[in-house]
PDB file of all heavy atoms in Angstrom:
ATOM      1  N   LEU A  28     -39.601 -25.483  56.515  1.00  0.00           N
ATOM      2  CA  LEU A  28     -38.267 -26.125  56.548  1.00  0.00           C
ATOM      3  C   LEU A  28     -37.975 -26.735  55.188  1.00  0.00           C
ATOM      4  O   LEU A  28     -38.827 -27.362  54.563  1.00  0.00           O
ATOM      5  CB  LEU A  28     -38.219 -27.215  57.613  1.00  0.00           C
ATOM      6  CG  LEU A  28     -38.614 -26.783  59.026  1.00  0.00           C
ATOM      7  CD1 LEU A  28     -38.485 -27.959  59.987  1.00  0.00           C
ATOM      8  CD2 LEU A  28     -37.738 -25.626  59.527  1.00  0.00           C
ATOM      9  N   GLY A  29     -36.722 -26.566  54.730  1.00  0.00           N
ATOM     10  CA  GLY A  29     -36.268 -27.124  53.449  1.00  0.00           C
ATOM     11  C   GLY A  29     -35.175 -28.121  53.638  1.00  0.00           C
ATOM     12  O   GLY A  29     -34.866 -28.563  54.739  1.00  0.00           O
ATOM     13  N   VAL A  30     -34.519 -28.514  52.527  1.00  0.00           N
ATOM     14  CA  VAL A  30     -33.457 -29.493  52.550  1.00  0.00           C
ATOM     15  C   VAL A  30     -32.319 -29.040  53.478  1.00  0.00           C
ATOM     16  O   VAL A  30     -31.894 -27.881  53.414  1.00  0.00           O
ATOM     17  CB  VAL A  30     -32.910 -29.721  51.091  1.00  0.00           C
ATOM     18  CG1 VAL A  30     -31.709 -30.663  51.141  1.00  0.00           C
ATOM     19  CG2 VAL A  30     -33.986 -30.280  50.216  1.00  0.00           C
ATOM     20  N   GLY A  31     -31.806 -29.945  54.308  1.00  0.00           N
ATOM     21  CA  GLY A  31     -30.724 -29.650  55.213  1.00  0.00           C
ATOM     22  C   GLY A  31     -31.176 -29.187  56.591  1.00  0.00           C
ATOM     23  O   GLY A  31     -30.361 -29.099  57.519  1.00  0.00           O
ATOM     24  N   ALA A  32     -32.484 -28.882  56.738  1.00  0.00           N
ATOM     25  CA  ALA A  32     -32.979 -28.429  58.040  1.00  0.00           C
ATOM     26  C   ALA A  32     -33.072 -29.593  59.003  1.00  0.00           C
ATOM     27  O   ALA A  32     -33.222 -30.748  58.618  1.00  0.00           O
ATOM     28  CB  ALA A  32     -34.310 -27.728  57.898  1.00  0.00           C
ATOM     29  N   THR A  33     -33.006 -29.308  60.319  1.00  0.00           N
ATOM     30  CA  THR A  33     -33.162 -30.331  61.359  1.00  0.00           C
ATOM     31  C   THR A  33     -34.283 -29.933  62.307  1.00  0.00           C
ATOM     32  O   THR A  33     -34.616 -28.751  62.440  1.00  0.00           O
ATOM     33  CB  THR A  33     -31.867 -30.462  62.192  1.00  0.00           C
ATOM     34  OG1 THR A  33     -31.659 -29.264  62.916  1.00  0.00           O
ATOM     35  CG2 THR A  33     -30.668 -30.772  61.335  1.00  0.00           C
ATOM     36  N   PHE A  34     -34.902 -30.912  62.933  1.00  0.00           N
ATOM     37  CA  PHE A  34     -35.910 -30.623  63.923  1.00  0.00           C
ATOM     38  C   PHE A  34     -36.077 -31.856  64.833  1.00  0.00           C
ATOM     39  O   PHE A  34     -35.613 -32.929  64.515  1.00  0.00           O
ATOM     40  CB  PHE A  34     -37.256 -30.251  63.255  1.00  0.00           C
ATOM     41  CG  PHE A  34     -37.820 -31.333  62.380  1.00  0.00           C
ATOM     42  CD1 PHE A  34     -38.737 -32.285  62.869  1.00  0.00           C
ATOM     43  CD2 PHE A  34     -37.488 -31.420  61.023  1.00  0.00           C
ATOM     44  CE1 PHE A  34     -39.259 -33.271  62.059  1.00  0.00           C
ATOM     45  CE2 PHE A  34     -38.017 -32.409  60.208  1.00  0.00           C
ATOM     46  CZ  PHE A  34     -38.914 -33.334  60.700  1.00  0.00           C
ATOM     47  N   GLY A  35     -36.716 -31.633  65.940  1.00  0.00           N
ATOM     48  CA  GLY A  35     -37.011 -32.743  66.891  1.00  0.00           C
ATOM     49  C   GLY A  35     -35.997 -32.935  67.997  1.00  0.00           C
ATOM     50  O   GLY A  35     -36.001 -33.947  68.689  1.00  0.00           O
ATOM     51  N   GLU A  36     -35.109 -31.925  68.199  1.00  0.00           N
ATOM     52  CA  GLU A  36     -34.053 -32.054  69.213  1.00  0.00           C
ATOM     53  C   GLU A  36     -34.598 -32.057  70.646  1.00  0.00           C
ATOM     54  O   GLU A  36     -33.852 -32.295  71.604  1.00  0.00           O
ATOM     55  CB  GLU A  36     -33.003 -30.980  69.051  1.00  0.00           C
ATOM     56  CG  GLU A  36     -33.499 -29.552  69.249  1.00  0.00           C
ATOM     57  CD  GLU A  36     -34.084 -28.983  67.970  1.00  0.00           C
ATOM     58  OE1 GLU A  36     -34.131 -29.694  66.946  1.00  0.00           O
ATOM     59  OE2 GLU A  36     -34.516 -27.837  68.010  1.00  0.00           O
ATOM     60  N   SER A  37     -35.888 -31.839  70.829  1.00  0.00           N
ATOM     61  CA  SER A  37     -36.433 -31.850  72.189  1.00  0.00           C
ATOM     62  C   SER A  37     -36.347 -33.251  72.828  1.00  0.00           C
ATOM     63  O   SER A  37     -36.460 -33.377  74.044  1.00  0.00           O
ATOM     64  CB  SER A  37     -37.907 -31.411  72.183  1.00  0.00           C
ATOM     65  OG  SER A  37     -38.675 -32.289  71.363  1.00  0.00           O
ATOM     66  N   ILE A  38     -36.109 -34.279  72.015  1.00  0.00           N
ATOM     67  CA  ILE A  38     -35.964 -35.643  72.590  1.00  0.00           C
ATOM     68  C   ILE A  38     -34.755 -35.732  73.508  1.00  0.00           C
ATOM     69  O   ILE A  38     -34.664 -36.635  74.332  1.00  0.00           O
ATOM     70  CB  ILE A  38     -35.870 -36.713  71.482  1.00  0.00           C
ATOM     71  CG1 ILE A  38     -34.634 -36.467  70.591  1.00  0.00           C
ATOM     72  CG2 ILE A  38     -37.135 -36.769  70.658  1.00  0.00           C
ATOM     73  CD1 ILE A  38     -34.352 -37.575  69.637  1.00  0.00           C
ATOM     74  N   LEU A  39     -33.814 -34.824  73.332  1.00  0.00           N
ATOM     75  CA  LEU A  39     -32.615 -34.822  74.183  1.00  0.00           C
ATOM     76  C   LEU A  39     -32.975 -34.646  75.638  1.00  0.00           C
ATOM     77  O   LEU A  39     -32.384 -35.209  76.532  1.00  0.00           O
ATOM     78  CB  LEU A  39     -31.642 -33.734  73.740  1.00  0.00           C
ATOM     79  CG  LEU A  39     -30.343 -33.598  74.528  1.00  0.00           C
ATOM     80  CD1 LEU A  39     -29.488 -34.858  74.346  1.00  0.00           C
ATOM     81  CD2 LEU A  39     -29.574 -32.362  74.111  1.00  0.00           C
TER      82      LEU A  39
END
Side-chain angles (χ1 to χ4, degrees):
L28 305 181
V30 175
T33 65
F34 60 93
E36 61 275 1
S37 61
I38 61 171
L39 179 65

